[in-house]
Amino acid sequence: MSNIETIKSLEEAVQNLTEWLEGAALPLWSTAGVEQTTGGFHERIAQDGRPMVEDNRRARVQPRQIYCFSAAHQRRVEGDWDTLVRNGLTYFDKTFRKHDGLYGAVASPQGMLIDPSFDLYNQAFALFALSQVAAGFPDATMRMEEQATELLRLLTAHHKHPIAGFEHADPPSLPLCSNPHMHLFEAALAWEALAERPQIWGALADEIAHLALQKFIDPKSGGLREFFDHDWAPHPSDQGRIMEPGHQFEWAWLLARWGTLRGNKEALAKAERLFDIGLTYGMSEDGKVAIMSLYDDFSAHDPIARLWPQTEWLKASTKLALVGNPDKREHYLASAIKATEAFSLFLSTPVKGLWFDKRQPDGSLLKEAAPASTFYHILCAIYEAADNLTAVRTR
């Protein structure tokens, strides 16, 4: 197929995903996924459409859902997103925000904070959700920026790593992790684009980008590692050998964005290498889906496939079709079509708007409740792909 034919096929696939998102998933998760008396969000919805009301609630899920509903508002999808976002923010701050201004980790279904421990990952998603609220609700932009800036100040004052980046736990513990920095990077790029004081967010994005280029990415293989010693060397245990295909794609997407903004050719080249690793070595034996993890020799570590790596595959492939090597545009577009096919495998559920989270190596899907934590990946991927395709067609 020509580029135009491939783009048309891809646009149709993304439009189908958009119709599923806006016609089924958003209506379901904005009703059954919401605890109506508090405004908080349920962790899971069972495959019969009923929420799992007895689950404890992780701090990371609340801002992810706030992000999704804020994005729906920004896209003018029909729904009372203002109420959902306002109530969700109130619940999140009341339940998880501690006296020190940082967020705890886990609450009971009744709204009691039962694990107040610090996790950098949860702070990163708080920052990211605040950025989307600021983007979707202009009347809240100033308040959201003030809250985000204060949270970043607290992280910098109390949890800064002596070399670069941040400690992921308090007290500091090993291994250090690249994953929460990825979401801080995502939040920093979002805030840089809309903040009154973009320079502090640009500086954070630059620091994390250079940490990724210099420490997270292996200089020999080009693969991105997950776990590190305190000097940002690969952790000496087997954990230090782990590379996740989904994160190769996700970092490729982020570094491609940052590299384009900064005119940094190294970042763009490394983003393309990360993508190639995910696509070449990170696929299931039948070649249909991206698996969970590899060792650093690119042999399989965990052959289970989850839904979220497929969404990151779609984001990275469409972004690289836009800003990557023009000679490989057809390759990236064709890969994006395969990513939509992989994505769609997980959506054939009894109740439309849910998803299966895990696909086993034999190709069977585990019939488990759908986790809310995946919704952020899904919505972001569909809208990112649609935006990238519009830009590709314009070019």
Coordinates of all heavy atoms in Angstrom, one line a residue, residues 226 242-249 277-295 298-313 342 346 357-363:
E226 N 15.0 -1.0 33.7 CA 14.0 -0.6 34.7 C 14.6 -0.3 36.1 O 14.1 0.6 36.8 CB 13.0 -1.8 34.9 CG 12.2 -2.1 33.6 CD 11.2 -1.0 33.2 OE1 10.7 -0.4 34.1 OE2 11.1 -0.8 32.0
I242 N 16.3 -6.4 33.5 CA 15.0 -6.3 33.0 C 14.7 -5.1 32.1 O 15.1 -4.0 32.4 CB 13.9 -6.4 34.1 CG1 13.9 -7.8 34.7 CG2 12.5 -6.1 33.5 CD1 13.0 -7.9 36.0
M243 N 14.2 -5.4 30.9 CA 13.7 -4.4 30.0 C 12.3 -4.7 29.5 O 12.0 -5.8 29.1 CB 14.6 -4.3 28.7 CG 16.1 -3.9 29.0 SD 17.1 -3.9 27.5 CE 18.6 -3.3 28.2
E244 N 11.4 -3.7 29.6 CA 10.0 -4.0 29.3 C 9.7 -3.4 27.9 O 9.9 -2.2 27.6 CB 9.1 -3.4 30.3 CG 9.2 -4.0 31.7 CD 8.1 -3.5 32.7 OE1 7.2 -2.8 32.2 OE2 8.2 -3.8 33.9
P245 N 9.2 -4.3 27.0 CA 8.8 -3.7 25.7 C 7.9 -2.6 25.7 O 8.0 -1.6 24.9 CB 8.2 -5.0 25.0 CG 8.9 -6.1 25.6 CD 9.1 -5.7 27.1
G246 N 6.9 -2.6 26.6 CA 5.9 -1.5 26.7 C 6.6 -0.2 27.0 O 6.3 0.9 26.5
H247 N 7.7 -0.3 27.9 CA 8.4 0.9 28.2 C 9.4 1.3 27.2 O 9.7 2.5 27.1 CB 9.1 0.7 29.6 CG 8.1 0.8 30.7 ND1 8.4 0.2 32.0 CD2 6.9 1.3 30.8 CE1 7.4 0.4 32.8 NE2 6.4 1.0 32.1
Q248 N 9.9 0.4 26.4 CA 10.7 0.8 25.2 C 9.8 1.7 24.3 O 10.3 2.8 23.8 CB 11.2 -0.4 24.4 CG 11.8 -1.5 25.2 CD 13.0 -1.1 26.0 OE1 14.0 -0.5 25.5 NE2 12.9 -1.3 27.3
F249 N 8.6 1.3 24.1 CA 7.7 2.1 23.3 C 7.3 3.4 23.9 O 7.3 4.5 23.3 CB 6.4 1.3 23.0 CG 6.5 0.1 22.1 CD1 5.9 -1.1 22.5 CD2 7.3 0.1 21.0 CE1 6.0 -2.2 21.7 CE2 7.4 -1.0 20.2 CZ 6.8 -2.2 20.5
I277 N 13.7 -2.2 19.2 CA 13.9 -3.2 20.2 C 12.5 -3.8 20.6 O 12.3 -5.0 20.7 CB 14.6 -2.7 21.4 CG1 16.1 -2.5 21.1 CG2 14.6 -3.7 22.6 CD1 16.9 -1.7 22.1
G278 N 11.6 -2.9 20.9 CA 10.2 -3.4 21.3 C 9.6 -4.2 20.2 O 9.0 -5.3 20.5
L279 N 9.7 -3.8 19.0 CA 9.1 -4.4 17.9 C 9.8 -5.7 17.5 O 9.2 -6.7 17.1 CB 9.0 -3.5 16.7 CG 8.1 -3.9 15.5 CD1 6.6 -4.0 16.0 CD2 8.2 -2.9 14.4
T280 N 11.1 -5.7 17.6 CA 11.9 -6.9 17.1 C 11.9 -8.0 18.1 O 11.8 -9.2 17.8 CB 13.3 -6.5 16.8 OG1 13.3 -5.4 15.8 CG2 14.2 -7.6 16.3
Y281 N 12.1 -7.7 19.4 CA 12.3 -8.7 20.4 C 11.2 -8.8 21.4 O 11.1 -9.8 22.2 CB 13.6 -8.3 21.2 CG 14.8 -8.2 20.3 CD1 15.3 -7.0 20.0 CD2 15.5 -9.3 19.8 CE1 16.5 -6.8 19.2 CE2 16.6 -9.2 19.0 CZ 17.1 -8.0 18.7 OH 18.2 -7.9 17.8
G282 N 10.3 -7.8 21.5 CA 9.3 -7.8 22.5 C 7.9 -8.4 22.2 O 7.0 -8.2 22.9
M283 N 7.9 -9.1 21.1 CA 6.6 -9.7 20.6 C 6.4 -11.1 21.1 O 7.3 -11.8 21.4 CB 6.5 -9.6 19.1 CG 6.5 -8.3 18.5 SD 5.0 -7.3 18.8 CE 5.7 -6.0 19.8
S284 N 5.1 -11.5 21.2 CA 4.8 -12.9 21.5 C 5.2 -13.8 20.4 O 5.6 -13.4 19.3 CB 3.3 -13.0 21.7 OG 2.6 -12.5 20.5
E285 N 5.2 -15.1 20.7 CA 5.7 -16.1 19.7 C 4.8 -16.0 18.5 O 5.3 -16.3 17.4 CB 5.7 -17.5 20.3 CG 6.8 -17.7 21.4 CD 6.9 -19.2 21.7 OE1 6.2 -20.0 21.1 OE2 7.8 -19.5 22.6
D286 N 3.6 -15.7 18.6 CA 2.7 -15.6 17.4 C 2.8 -14.3 16.7 O 2.2 -14.0 15.7 CB 1.3 -16.0 17.7 CG 0.6 -15.0 18.7 OD1 1.2 -14.0 19.0 OD2 -0.5 -15.3 19.1
G287 N 3.6 -13.4 17.3 CA 3.9 -12.1 16.7 C 2.7 -11.1 16.7 O 2.8 -10.0 16.1
K288 N 1.7 -11.4 17.5 CA 0.5 -10.5 17.5 C 0.5 -9.4 18.6 O -0.1 -8.4 18.4 CB -0.8 -11.4 17.7 CG -1.1 -12.3 16.5 CD -2.4 -13.0 16.8 CE -2.7 -13.9 15.6 NZ -4.0 -14.7 15.8
V289 N 1.2 -9.6 19.7 CA 1.1 -8.7 20.8 C 2.5 -8.5 21.5 O 3.4 -9.4 21.4 CB 0.1 -9.2 21.9 CG1 -1.3 -9.2 21.4 CG2 0.5 -10.6 22.4
A290 N 2.6 -7.4 22.1 CA 3.9 -7.1 22.9 C 3.8 -7.7 24.2 O 2.7 -7.6 24.9 CB 4.1 -5.6 23.0
I291 N 4.8 -8.4 24.7 CA 4.8 -9.1 25.9 C 5.3 -8.1 27.1 O 5.7 -7.0 26.8 CB 5.7 -10.4 25.9 CG1 7.1 -10.0 25.6 CG2 5.1 -11.3 24.8 CD1 8.1 -11.2 25.8
M292 N 5.3 -8.7 28.3 CA 5.6 -7.8 29.4 C 7.1 -7.5 29.6 O 7.4 -6.3 29.8 CB 5.1 -8.5 30.7 CG 3.7 -8.1 31.0 SD 3.3 -6.4 31.1 CE 4.4 -5.8 32.4
S293 N 8.0 -8.4 29.5 CA 9.4 -8.1 29.8 C 10.4 -9.0 29.2 O 10.1 -10.2 28.9 CB 9.6 -8.0 31.4 OG 9.3 -9.2 32.0
L294 N 11.6 -8.5 29.0 CA 12.8 -9.1 28.5 C 13.9 -9.1 29.4 O 13.9 -8.2 30.3 CB 13.2 -8.5 27.1 CG 12.2 -8.3 26.0 CD1 12.8 -7.4 25.0 CD2 11.8 -9.6 25.5
Y295 N 14.9 -9.9 29.3 CA 16.2 -9.7 29.9 C 17.0 -8.8 28.9 O 16.6 -8.6 27.8 CB 16.9 -11.1 30.1 CG 16.4 -11.9 31.2 CD1 15.7 -13.1 31.0 CD2 16.5 -11.4 32.5 CE1 15.2 -13.8 32.1 CE2 16.0 -12.2 33.6 CZ 15.4 -13.4 33.4 OH 14.9 -14.1 34.4
F298 N 17.7 -9.7 25.4 CA 16.5 -9.7 24.6 C 15.8 -11.0 24.6 O 14.9 -11.2 23.8 CB 16.7 -9.1 23.2 CG 17.3 -7.7 23.2 CD1 18.2 -7.3 22.2 CD2 16.9 -6.8 24.1 CE1 18.7 -6.0 22.1 CE2 17.4 -5.5 24.1 CZ 18.3 -5.1 23.1
S299 N 16.1 -11.9 25.5 CA 15.3 -13.1 25.6 C 14.1 -12.8 26.5 O 14.2 -11.9 27.3 CB 16.2 -14.2 26.3 OG 16.7 -13.9 27.6
A300 N 13.1 -13.6 26.4 CA 11.9 -13.4 27.2 C 12.1 -13.5 28.7 O 12.7 -14.5 29.1 CB 10.7 -14.3 26.7
H301 N 11.6 -12.6 29.4 CA 11.5 -12.7 30.9 C 10.1 -13.1 31.4 O 10.0 -14.0 32.2 CB 12.0 -11.4 31.5 CG 11.8 -11.3 33.0 ND1 10.8 -10.5 33.5 CD2 12.4 -11.9 34.0 CE1 10.8 -10.7 34.9 NE2 11.8 -11.5 35.2
D302 N 9.1 -12.3 30.9 CA 7.7 -12.6 31.2 C 6.9 -12.6 29.9 O 6.7 -11.5 29.4 CB 7.2 -11.5 32.2 CG 5.8 -11.8 32.6 OD1 5.1 -12.7 32.1 OD2 5.3 -11.1 33.5
P303 N 6.5 -13.7 29.5 CA 5.8 -13.8 28.2 C 4.3 -13.4 28.2 O 3.7 -13.4 27.1 CB 6.0 -15.3 27.8 CG 6.0 -16.0 29.1 CD 6.7 -15.1 30.0
I304 N 3.8 -13.1 29.4 CA 2.4 -12.7 29.4 C 2.3 -11.3 28.7 O 3.3 -10.5 28.7 CB 2.0 -12.5 30.9 CG1 1.8 -13.8 31.6 CG2 0.7 -11.6 31.0 CD1 0.5 -14.5 31.3
A305 N 1.2 -11.1 28.0 CA 1.0 -9.8 27.4 C -0.1 -9.1 28.1 O -1.2 -9.7 28.3 CB 0.6 -10.0 25.9
R306 N 0.1 -7.9 28.4 CA -1.0 -7.0 29.0 C -1.4 -6.0 28.0 O -0.8 -5.8 27.0 CB -0.5 -6.3 30.3 CG -0.2 -7.3 31.4 CD 0.1 -6.6 32.7 NE -1.0 -5.8 33.1 CZ -0.9 -4.8 34.1 NH1 0.3 -4.6 34.7 NH2 -2.0 -4.1 34.5
L307 N -2.6 -5.4 28.2 CA -3.2 -4.5 27.3 C -2.3 -3.2 27.1 O -2.1 -2.7 26.0 CB -4.6 -4.1 27.7 CG -5.3 -2.9 26.9 CD1 -5.2 -3.2 25.4 CD2 -6.7 -2.7 27.4
W308 N -1.8 -2.7 28.2 CA -1.2 -1.4 28.2 C 0.0 -1.3 27.2 O 0.2 -0.3 26.6 CB -0.8 -0.8 29.6 CG 0.3 -1.5 30.3 CD1 0.3 -2.4 31.3 CD2 1.7 -1.2 30.1 NE1 1.5 -2.8 31.7 CE2 2.4 -2.1 31.0 CE3 2.5 -0.4 29.3 CZ2 3.8 -2.1 31.1 CZ3 3.8 -0.4 29.4 CH2 4.5 -1.2 30.3
P309 N 0.9 -2.3 27.1 CA 2.0 -2.2 26.1 C 1.5 -2.0 24.7 O 2.2 -1.4 23.9 CB 2.8 -3.5 26.3 CG 2.5 -3.9 27.7 CD 1.1 -3.6 27.9
Q310 N 0.4 -2.6 24.4 CA -0.2 -2.4 23.0 C -0.5 -0.9 22.7 O -0.3 -0.4 21.6 CB -1.4 -3.3 22.8 CG -1.4 -4.7 23.4 CD -0.1 -5.5 23.3 OE1 0.5 -5.5 22.2 NE2 0.3 -6.1 24.4
T311 N -1.0 -0.3 23.8 CA -1.4 1.2 23.6 C -0.1 2.0 23.4 O -0.1 3.0 22.7 CB -2.2 1.7 24.9 OG1 -1.3 1.7 26.0 CG2 -3.4 0.8 25.2
E312 N 0.9 1.7 24.1 CA 2.2 2.4 24.0 C 2.8 2.2 22.6 O 3.5 3.1 22.1 CB 3.1 2.1 25.1 CG 2.6 2.4 26.5 CD 2.1 3.8 26.7 OE1 2.7 4.7 26.1 OE2 1.1 4.0 27.4
W313 N 2.7 1.0 22.1 CA 3.1 0.6 20.7 C 2.4 1.6 19.7 O 3.0 2.1 18.8 CB 2.8 -0.8 20.5 CG 3.1 -1.4 19.2 CD1 3.8 -0.8 18.1 CD2 2.7 -2.7 18.7 NE1 3.9 -1.7 17.1 CE2 3.2 -2.8 17.4 CE3 2.0 -3.7 19.2 CZ2 3.0 -4.0 16.6 CZ3 1.7 -4.9 18.5 CH2 2.3 -5.0 17.2
A342 N -3.5 -5.5 17.8 CA -3.2 -6.0 19.1 C -4.1 -5.4 20.2 O -4.6 -6.1 21.1 CB -1.7 -5.7 19.4
F346 N -7.9 -7.2 23.0 CA -8.2 -7.2 24.5 C -9.6 -6.6 24.7 O -10.0 -6.6 25.9 CB -7.2 -6.4 25.2 CG -5.8 -7.0 25.2 CD1 -5.0 -6.9 24.1 CD2 -5.3 -7.7 26.3 CE1 -3.7 -7.4 24.1 CE2 -4.1 -8.3 26.4 CZ -3.3 -8.1 25.3
D357 N -7.3 -7.7 30.6 CA -6.0 -7.1 30.9 C -4.8 -8.0 30.5 O -3.8 -7.5 30.1 CB -5.8 -6.9 32.4 CG -4.6 -6.1 32.8 OD1 -4.3 -5.0 32.2 OD2 -3.8 -6.6 33.6
K358 N -5.0 -9.3 30.5 CA -3.8 -10.2 30.2 C -4.2 -11.2 29.2 O -5.2 -11.8 29.1 CB -3.4 -10.9 31.5 CG -3.0 -10.0 32.7 CD -2.6 -10.8 33.9 CE -2.2 -9.9 35.1 NZ -3.4 -9.4 35.7
R359 N -3.2 -11.5 28.3 CA -3.2 -12.5 27.3 C -2.1 -13.5 27.5 O -0.9 -13.1 27.6 CB -3.1 -11.9 25.9 CG -3.2 -12.9 24.7 CD -3.0 -12.2 23.4 NE -3.3 -13.0 22.2 CZ -2.3 -13.6 21.5 NH1 -1.0 -13.5 21.9 NH2 -2.6 -14.3 20.4
Q360 N -2.4 -14.8 27.7 CA -1.4 -15.8 28.0 C -0.6 -16.2 26.7 O -1.1 -15.9 25.6 CB -2.1 -17.0 28.7 CG -2.8 -16.6 30.0 CD -3.3 -17.8 30.7 OE1 -2.7 -18.3 31.6 NE2 -4.5 -18.2 30.3
P361 N 0.5 -16.8 26.9 CA 1.3 -17.2 25.7 C 0.6 -18.1 24.7 O 0.9 -18.1 23.6 CB 2.5 -17.9 26.4 CG 2.7 -17.3 27.7 CD 1.3 -17.0 28.2
D362 N -0.4 -18.8 25.2 CA -1.2 -19.7 24.3 C -2.3 -18.9 23.5 O -3.0 -19.4 22.7 CB -1.8 -20.9 25.0 CG -2.9 -20.5 26.0 OD1 -3.2 -19.3 26.1 OD2 -3.4 -21.4 26.7
G363 N -2.4 -17.6 23.8 CA -3.3 -16.7 23.1 C -4.6 -16.5 23.8 O -5.5 -15.7 23.4

